[in-house]
């Protein structure tokens, strides 16, 4: 079966959803047009064709959605017990399990990730839902000793904060939206979600599925639209209690400014420029594919991509040769082609931006060892780019300092571990990072030395909600996963009881 035949066959399964004339907002359990009547289009990045028309929401729609979320927060939902919310999360998991293939197809054509990669992400989603189901029955305060004369009992209580504004990026909304939805359902909050205009469809379809699974109307609302209109209206809304934002550092700054209206607490997961350190004693059978996919997975559109690959000088040649051989095994193709390992980047804009960094790298004196071009032939209408590698990169170059968010890897030689740690730390971001070494003390030295929110040793990119995923420096704050994640959705009340 050719890619285009597969494309048609797979689309049929999600056809009912994709063929709607306009995808409306979801407010208070209802599908409603934007108050202004405005719409916008979204494009399939594998073909460049218009995929769907969506409501383009703005201030009035955010107002309506926040009102619905507030009403739901104060309504019968507030009386659901932790066990009931846990059972709901379990049911949501079962319904999503049954519908996941349809969701994977929708996401594949909307944001361009290969459908096989998306199907494989089902296990991660199921784990996330189990984790949040467990959190529903694990919300606890403390009883505390005190120094107050007399008989005063003191404790802290945890309570849901209220309405959450969830602002979601385009690089993997199908799974990433559940960092918000899971915590909202576990904590008893409600939410207004604002997906990225480039990839909103899986968020809209999930909101419908949540209603089918029994999530009460108004608990999860979705307002599609631009960041400038719908996103900013949500971030600045005086009746939104918290913002959970994942996106670029630049947008994160605007969110911080907007949040001052009512001093919202923020969970900010921002950009990155992570260092992946390959020591001379690394097992290259693992380090080469690990470091390569640490960059090229999702066509480089992953916040924690290890785009600065620091390689110890004695093995630079061998590592480079094996990396280039590995890249030849990757197949770039239509996101619905089951054999594709890499899909397109999200948009023409993103492609232009990534290609401009190829020019920047060359002009800075780095050596382009492979790739660097848009792909043609049957892929010419999509936003496909060859996986690209620069050699001889130094840390002062823009390609080593700025987030490219595309399939571009930089090889940066180093001599000793202290130098590698210094290079890794000489960057404004602090999101991911890894070390490949068979020597445990070398690995631990790097783990301790690198100033970053998440480190992997002899692996790259595992994220488990039980362990969490953090960022520091300009990569943001507020944990994803662990009980710390739930803290964004709860507030603490200190209680003094004189009996
Ligand atoms: P983006 O910042 O452009 O957009 C993210 C979301 O914010 C979108 O929904 C967008 O519409 C909205 N938005 C834009 N301007 C806004 C404004 N002024 N006010 C409110 N909302 C606004 O990011 P993107 O291009 O969608 O995603 C890529 C970026 O996200 C990269 O920098 C990447 O590193 C980062 N990211 C980080 C993580 C993480 O966990 N740290 C995960 C995924 C992506």
């Amino acid at each position: 079966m050719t890619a285009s035949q597969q494309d048609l066959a797979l689309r049929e399964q999600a056809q009912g959803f994709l063929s709607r004339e306009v995808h409306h907002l979801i407010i208070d359990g209802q599908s409603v047009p934007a108050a202004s009547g405005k719409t916008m289009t979204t494009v399939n990045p594998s073909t460049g064709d218009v995929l769907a028309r969506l409501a383009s929401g703005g201030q009035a729609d955010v107002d309506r959605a926040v009102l619905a979320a507030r009403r739901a927060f104060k309504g019968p939902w507030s009386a659901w017990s932790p066990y009931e919310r846990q059972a709901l999360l379990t049911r949501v998991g079962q319904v999503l399990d049954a519908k996941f293939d349809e969701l994977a197809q929708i996401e594949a054509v909307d944001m361009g990730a290969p459908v096989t990669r998306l199907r494989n992400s089902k296990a991660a989603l199921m784990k996330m839902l189990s984790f949040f189901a467990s959190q529903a029955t694990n919300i606890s305060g403390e009883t505390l000793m005190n120094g107050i004369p007399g008989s005063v009992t003191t404790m802290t209580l945890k309570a849901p904060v209220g309405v959450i504004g969830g602002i979601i990026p385009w690089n993997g909304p199908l799974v990433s939206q559940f960092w918000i939805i899971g915590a909202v359902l576990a904590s008893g909050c409600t939410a207004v979600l604002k997906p990225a205009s480039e990839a909103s469809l899986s968020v809209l379809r999930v909101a419908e599925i949540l209603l089918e699974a029994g999530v009460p109307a108004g608990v999860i609302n979705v307002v599609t639209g631009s960041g400038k209109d719908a996103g900013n209206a949500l971030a600045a809304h005086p009746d939104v209690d918290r913002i959970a934002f994942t996106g670029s550092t630049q947008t994160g700054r605007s969110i911080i400014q907007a949040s001052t209206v009512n001093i919202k607490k923020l969970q900010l997961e921002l950009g990155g420029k992570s260092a992946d350190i390959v020591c001379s004693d690394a097992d290259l059978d693992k380090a080469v594919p690990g470091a390569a996919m640490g960059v090229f997975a999702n066509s480089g559109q992953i916040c924690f991509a290890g785009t600065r690959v620091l390689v110890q000088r004695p093995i630079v040649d061998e590592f480079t040769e094996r990396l280039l051989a590995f890249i030849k095994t990757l197949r770039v193709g239509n996101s619905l082609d089951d054999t594709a390992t890499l899909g397109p980047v999200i948009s023409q804009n993103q492609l232009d931006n990534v290609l401009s960094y190829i020019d920047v790298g060359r002009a800075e004196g780095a050596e382009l060892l492979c790739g660097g071009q848009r792909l043609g032939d049957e892929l010419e209408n999509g936003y496909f780019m060859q996986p690209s590698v620069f050699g001889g990169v130094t840390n002062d170059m823009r390609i080593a300092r700025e987030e490219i968010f595309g399939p571009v890897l930089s090889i940066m030689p180093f001599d000793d571990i202290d130098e590698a740690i210094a290079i890794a730390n000489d960057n404004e971001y602090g999101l991911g990072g890894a070390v490949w070494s068979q020597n445990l003390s070398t690995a631990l030295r790097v783990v301790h030395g690198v100033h970053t929110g998440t480190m992997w040793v002899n692996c790259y990119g595992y994220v488990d909600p039980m362990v969490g995923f953090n960022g520091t420096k300009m990569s943001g704050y507020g944990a994803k996963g662990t009980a710390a994640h739930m803290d964004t959705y709860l507030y603490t009340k200190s209680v003094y009881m004189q009996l």
Side-chain angles (χ1 to χ4, degrees), residues 167-168 170-171 194 231 246-248 251 269-271 303 403 480:
I167 303 180
I168 302 168
W170 46 256
N171 66 335
K194 208 303 281 174
T246 301
S248 63
T251 308
E269 302 289 336
L270 309 176
C303 50
E403 186 179 43
K480 270 186 175 148

Side-chain angles (χ1 to χ4, degrees), residues 160-392:
V161 288
V163 177
I164 305 291
I167 303 180
I168 302 168
W170 46 256
N171 66 335
L174 172 54
V175 173
S176 74
Q177 63 185 306
F178 283 93
W179 286 116
I180 304 169
I181 294 169
V184 162
L185 299 184
S187 62
C189 290
T190 59
V192 177
L193 303 181
K194 208 303 281 174
S197 45
E198 295 86 345
S200 301
L201 294 178
S202 66
V203 179
L204 287 168
R205 183 68 188 115
V206 161
E208 293 176 348
I209 292 172
L210 294 177
L211 290 165
E212 284 167 43
V215 174
V219 170
I220 302 290
N221 307 275
V222 183
V223 177
T224 50
S226 72
K228 188 168 57 68
D229 295 327
N232 189 47
L234 189 58
H237 203 288
D239 203 30
V240 170
D241 299 291
R242 300 276 157 100
I243 292 283
F245 171 75
T246 301
S248 63
T249 298
Q250 195 188 349
T251 308
R253 277 206 189 89
S254 325
I255 305 255
I256 292 169
Q257 275 155 9
S259 74
T260 59
V261 171
N262 61 337
I263 320 292
K264 290 179 188 74
K265 188 170 166 187
L266 304 174
Q267 186 184 35
L268 296 177
E269 302 289 336
L270 309 176
K273 191 74 193 176
S274 304
D276 194 353
I277 300 172
V278 186
C279 302
S280 337
D281 66 349
D283 176 352
L284 290 187
D285 288 343
K286 292 187 180 134
V288 169
M293 294 316 287
V295 178
F296 299 127
N298 215 32
S299 300
Q301 303 165 118
I302 296 186
C303 50
F304 54 67
T307 46
R308 292 186 295 152
V309 180
L310 278 53
V311 185
Q312 204 153 13
R313 213 169 291 275
I315 59 159
V316 168
D317 289 346
E318 186 187 355
F319 178 87
T320 305
E321 198 178 303
R322 290 176 69 163
L323 175 70
L324 297 180
F326 176 79
I327 287 173
K328 290 203 177 108
T329 68
L330 299 175
R331 223 184 83 61
V332 183
N334 186 306
S335 60
L336 287 177
D337 177 349
D338 279 342
T339 64
T341 37
L342 305 183
V345 298
I346 186 76
S347 63
Q348 181 69 54
N349 263 353
Q350 187 68 10
L351 181 64
D352 291 344
N353 191 38
V354 178
L355 287 170
S356 76
Y357 274 105
I358 300 292
D359 296 335
V360 167
R362 280 191 169 127
E364 286 177 314
E367 186 188 357
L368 185 66
L369 300 173
C370 75
Q373 306 260 330
R374 180 180 193 159
L375 287 160
D377 301 325
E378 78 275 17
L379 300 180
E380 69 178 355
N381 294 326
Y383 313 125
F384 293 94
M385 183 170 165
Q386 297 168 328
S388 309
V389 175
F390 275 114

